[in-house]
Amino acid sequence: GVPVALALTGDPHNWHAWWWFSDVLALVAFVVFALFVSVPHVGKDVAAKKERETGQRQHRPASILLEGFKVKRMWLFGLGFCFLMFTSLSVLTWVPTYVQEIELNRLLADGVALADAQASAGVSGGSMASLGFAASIPMALVTAFLLGKFQTIKARNVMVVIAGFCAFFYVGAFLIPYEYLPYYLVLLGLESGWTSGVVWSMVPVTMPKRVTMPIGMAIIIFFQGISNLLCTPVVGYVIGEAQVWTNVAPLCAVTAAVGTVLWIVYVAMKPPVFEENESEGGRADEITAAVEDRLPAA
């Protein structure tokens, strides 16, 4: 965002440039989605079979969807994700400000004019913060490959626990020497790509019926929204007017610990019975995931 704003307006802090650039990206995503993403094939479903037999449109009762809100493991997993998201956002949201402050003071000490120093510090802050997000891209692909390889619930649970403990990497972000921060942000980006891939893939594994999987996604997004809402003001209060950046470390340690513990409890809980393929007139193959130790059919 910063290089784009600088190139279009000459001001790295121009919010309008960021908004218009985001609109263009959203439009591209909309077109790609419209061209390549389709509604899943429903020929095997009970509703589709009944529609062919009766000629009348079938609807899922709302009560089935509401069952998704009763899955305690999903709420536990989402709450753990909320704390771990809070941990990562405590660093990633504030890294640009942290870098700008250090770079601005360094440039002013070197005799650079205030306006020039502010512009340069703004570019440095945005560019350095982007390192973490850039590193998450290849790691997301690696995570997807591993998710395809590990097709048992036990293996996925191990990936969840690893993601929880990796959140402790964020504790050291504002403690390490400044010259090592770019490399540390790359490490945090790798952690972010891993955690994101693991989190979203666990929703279908956690919900016992495929029809309730959207409810699981909604629960995850709900907790993600809470962390997004609270993180910035809470961390800003912890840093304070004196700009004590080391105060972020204990906060990250606590939230990472709570999130990891919640995920360990989630892993320890017995998964519910999965409802598998609904073909053959609606007869469900009920397989207890904890016993069979395999994921539900896609």
Side-chain angles (χ1 to χ4, degrees):
V2 171
V4 169
L6 187 63
L8 295 179
T9 67
D11 179 8
H13 302 289
N14 191 304
W15 288 92
H16 293 268
W18 295 355
W19 289 337
W20 282 113
F21 183 61
S22 298
D23 287 342
V24 172
L25 293 179
L27 179 61
V28 172
F30 174 81
V31 172
V32 172
F33 193 93
L35 291 176
F36 297 104
V37 179
S38 60
V39 176
H41 179 62
V42 295
K44 296 181 180 180
D45 291 345
V46 176
K49 184 175 182 178
K50 288 183 177 180
E51 287 179 2
R52 292 194 299 269
E53 294 175 349
T54 64
Q56 299 178 353
R57 183 173 179 81
Q58 303 292 318
H59 297 280
R60 287 279 191 176
S63 59
I64 296 180
L65 290 176
L66 292 177
E67 290 180 10
F69 290 104
K70 301 177 183 179
V71 182
K72 296 178 181 179
R73 295 181 77 244
M74 190 69 251
W75 289 97
L76 184 65
F77 186 73
L79 184 60
F81 181 57
C82 179
F83 279 96
L84 295 174
M85 274 291 296
F86 192 101
T87 305
S88 62
L89 291 176
S90 296
V91 174
L92 297 179
T93 303
W94 284 90
V95 160
T97 305
Y98 175 69
V99 174
Q100 288 176 33
E101 177 186 318
I102 293 178
E103 288 294 323
L104 180 61
N105 292 333
R106 183 181 64 82
L107 292 170
L108 292 177
D110 291 339
V112 179
L114 178 61
D116 294 336
Q118 289 176 334
S120 180
V123 174
S124 298
S127 300
M128 192 177 296
S130 298
L131 290 175
F133 297 104
S136 69
I137 298 173
M139 191 60 192
L141 299 177
V142 173
T143 305
F145 173 79
L146 294 176
L147 288 170
K149 288 292 184 181
F150 301 131
Q151 286 293 314
T152 66
I153 292 180
K154 288 182 179 178
R156 294 288 180 87
N157 285 341
V158 171
M159 297 178 74
V160 168
V161 174
I162 291 175
F165 279 104
C166 284
F168 286 95
F169 290 147
Y170 289 95
V171 174
F174 299 131
L175 299 178
I176 64 169
Y178 180 70
E179 57 267 23
Y180 297 122
L181 183 60
Y183 309 102
Y184 204 86
L185 289 174
V186 171
L187 173 65
L188 297 183
L190 297 176
E191 186 279 338
S192 177
W194 171 271
T195 302
S196 299
V198 170
V199 165
W200 299 110
S201 69
M202 290 303 294
V203 175
V205 180
T206 306
M207 303 304 288
K209 294 183 179 180
R210 286 175 294 173
V211 72
T212 60
M213 288 180 188
I215 303 298
M217 291 291 183
I219 292 173
I220 285 291
I221 294 173
F222 168 75
F223 280 111
Q224 183 181 19
I226 291 178
S227 63
N228 290 342
L229 174 67
L230 297 178
C231 175
T232 302
V234 170
V235 175
Y237 176 80
V238 170
I239 295 172
E241 295 183 3
Q243 299 287 286
V244 183
W245 293 96
T246 54
N247 288 346
V248 179
L251 176 65
C252 287
V254 171
T255 54
V258 174
T260 303
V261 168
L262 289 172
W263 274 5
I264 291 175
V265 175
Y266 160 84
V267 167
M269 292 178 66
K270 182 179 179 180
V273 175
F274 280 99
E275 179 181 313
E276 290 290 318
N277 196 347
E278 294 180 348
S279 59
E280 303 300 327
R283 181 168 54 88
D285 296 325
E286 294 188 349
I287 301 174
T288 303
V291 176
E292 297 272 339
D293 191 33
R294 67 182 177 88
L295 302 180

